[in-house]
């Protein structure tokens, strides 16, 4: 089992920045690829970014590329999502997730956090 706890969400004005953190406990964190997803009200959950176990491979969805950056610190069992130039359409509940194997942009992850709310005001 892996437990994931997100933090760092909040209310920010458009153009601002936030850094989300996801702390993992349980099984060896460094063996898992990690991902960030988000779900806006009335919409389906969507992929945001993913990172390999080593941190050497990352992918970001087109709508956040150049603004968001996923990273990880295996010594701290934590994955981050740095979000810059935030837009109102980034408003959503953000979830981190863990999976064995290679990175993935689909929701085939084994473990999920409870989510953290990000609200961007215009």
């Amino acid at each position: 089992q892996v437990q994931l706890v997100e933090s760092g969400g909040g209310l920010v004005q458009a153009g601002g920045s936030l850094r989300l953190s996801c702390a993992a406990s349980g099984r060896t964190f460094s063996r898992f690829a990690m991902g960030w997803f988000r779900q806006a009200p009335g919409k389906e959950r969507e992929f945001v970014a993913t990172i390999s176990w080593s941190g050497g491979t990352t992918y970001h969805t087109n709508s956040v590329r150049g603004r968001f950056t996923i990273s990880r610190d295996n010594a701290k069992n934590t994955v981050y999502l740095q979000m810059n130039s935030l837009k109102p359409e980034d408003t959503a509940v953000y979830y981190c997730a863990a999976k064995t194997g290679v990175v993935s942009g689909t929701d085939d992850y084994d473990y999920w956090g409870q989510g953290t709310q990000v609200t961007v005001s215009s």
Side-chain angles (χ1 to χ4, degrees):
Q1 287 288 338
V2 174
Q3 292 78 43
L4 303 172
V5 179
E6 302 96 335
S7 62
L11 174 64
V12 63
Q13 289 188 331
S17 298
L18 284 174
R19 188 176 80 158
L20 304 183
S21 299
C22 174
S25 61
R27 296 178 61 185
T28 306
F29 175 73
S30 61
R31 296 180 180 177
F32 289 88
M34 301 296 295
W36 284 99
F37 292 76
R38 66 186 180 185
Q39 187 167 22
K43 296 187 177 181
E44 294 187 352
R45 185 169 60 193
E46 66 171 350
F47 166 75
V48 176
T50 185
I51 188 167
S52 63
W53 67 269
S54 68
T57 300
T58 61
Y59 293 106
H60 299 77
T61 195
N62 287 341
S63 62
V64 308
R65 192 169 296 137
R67 300 188 298 122
F68 292 10
T69 303
I70 190 171
S71 63
R72 67 190 295 161
D73 185 339
N74 287 343
K76 295 183 177 179
N77 288 356
T78 302
V79 62
Y80 304 98
L81 185 68
Q82 178 66 44
M83 305 186 295
N84 299 327
S85 302
L86 282 160
K87 304 175 181 180
E89 51 263 44
D90 295 317
T91 294
V93 177
Y94 283 72
Y95 299 90
C96 74
K99 70 183 299 289
T100 56
V102 299
V103 296
S104 172
T106 64
D107 61 357
D108 61 337
Y109 284 69
D110 303 302
Y111 305 99
W112 293 83
Q114 83 291 347
T116 186
Q117 177 70 48
V118 171
T119 302
V120 184
S121 63
S122 57

